[in-house]
Amino acid sequence: MIPVMKTSLAAALVFMTLASVAAADDFKLVSNQRIACGRGLAPGKLNTATCKSYAYVFNTKTSEYSRCQVTLALTRDNKEVINVQADGNCVKKPRIFDADSHYSFDATETEPPNTNSFFGPGGFAVWASDNAKQKVRGCITIASGLGTDVSRCVDMTFQ
């Protein structure tokens, strides 16, 4: 009976340890989501509207984040909705700071492509700060127009 109790106690301790490790990372949804929509005309008087929205999920301990996108495309004629398609996914990005701490994060998207857009779909900016130290890093990612993104981060100085 005592070996069973020891085994049960050990299993309970392992479970509680794993649960506390799993709970150690805190994920936050950034409140600065954007949406951009466009319209198109197709042959046969079909109208298509496509909307995209982006959001960011941030790990406040490790400073890793994911950029999430959802897209909805609606095709209609003058009388009815013909087709609706939706998809979405999140892409994990590298950590902003090397060491674990307790961080804050914000992000913003550029405007959709227009006459002021030199490189196509534009890009996004992210800001992260250490909640325990006066440490802030700003990062900008833009589309190069050559199929790859260019990303740079700068540590802020305080004067």
Side-chain angles (χ1 to χ4, degrees):
M1 183 71 171
I2 291 178
V4 172
M5 289 178 65
K6 285 183 181 179
T7 304
S8 298
L9 182 60
L13 287 173
V14 168
F15 178 74
M16 288 189 320
T17 302
L18 290 175
S20 66
V21 169
D25 288 354
D26 192 10
F27 295 92
K28 300 281 185 188
L29 177 67
V30 176
S31 61
N32 190 9
Q33 297 91 28
R34 302 287 303 262
I35 185 168
C37 297
R39 293 185 187 171
L41 238 45
K45 295 187 179 184
L46 295 177
N47 293 310
T48 301
T50 304
C51 293
K52 291 183 181 181
S53 182
Y54 305 92
Y56 294 83
V57 177
F58 182 68
N59 184 324
T60 62
K61 179 182 177 189
T62 66
S63 78
E64 292 174 325
Y65 67 101
S66 294
R67 182 176 182 269
C68 302
Q69 172 183 316
V70 62
T71 304
L72 175 82
L74 168 81
T75 304
R76 68 173 182 87
D77 61 14
N78 292 334
K79 297 178 186 175
E80 65 181 330
V81 173
I82 297 171
N83 188 13
V84 176
Q85 295 179 341
D87 68 352
N89 67 347
C90 293
V91 177
K92 188 175 181 180
K93 301 292 184 177
R95 40 188 316 154
I96 296 172
F97 294 106
D98 293 337
D100 288 355
S101 185
H102 186 70
Y103 297 106
S104 295
F105 179 87
D106 200 4
T108 186
E109 295 283 330
T110 61
E111 295 298 321
N114 57 38
T115 56
N116 297 325
S117 179
F118 296 110
F119 300 113
F124 59 93
V126 298
W127 287 89
S129 65
D130 190 328
N131 293 343
K133 302 177 204 168
Q134 191 176 30
K135 187 173 184 180
V136 177
R137 187 168 286 171
C139 305
I140 295 180
T141 301
I142 62 170
S144 69
L146 303 173
T148 59
D149 290 344
V150 175
S151 183
R152 294 291 185 270
C153 293
V154 176
D155 288 328
M156 299 294 111
T157 58
F158 294 88
Q159 301 175 6

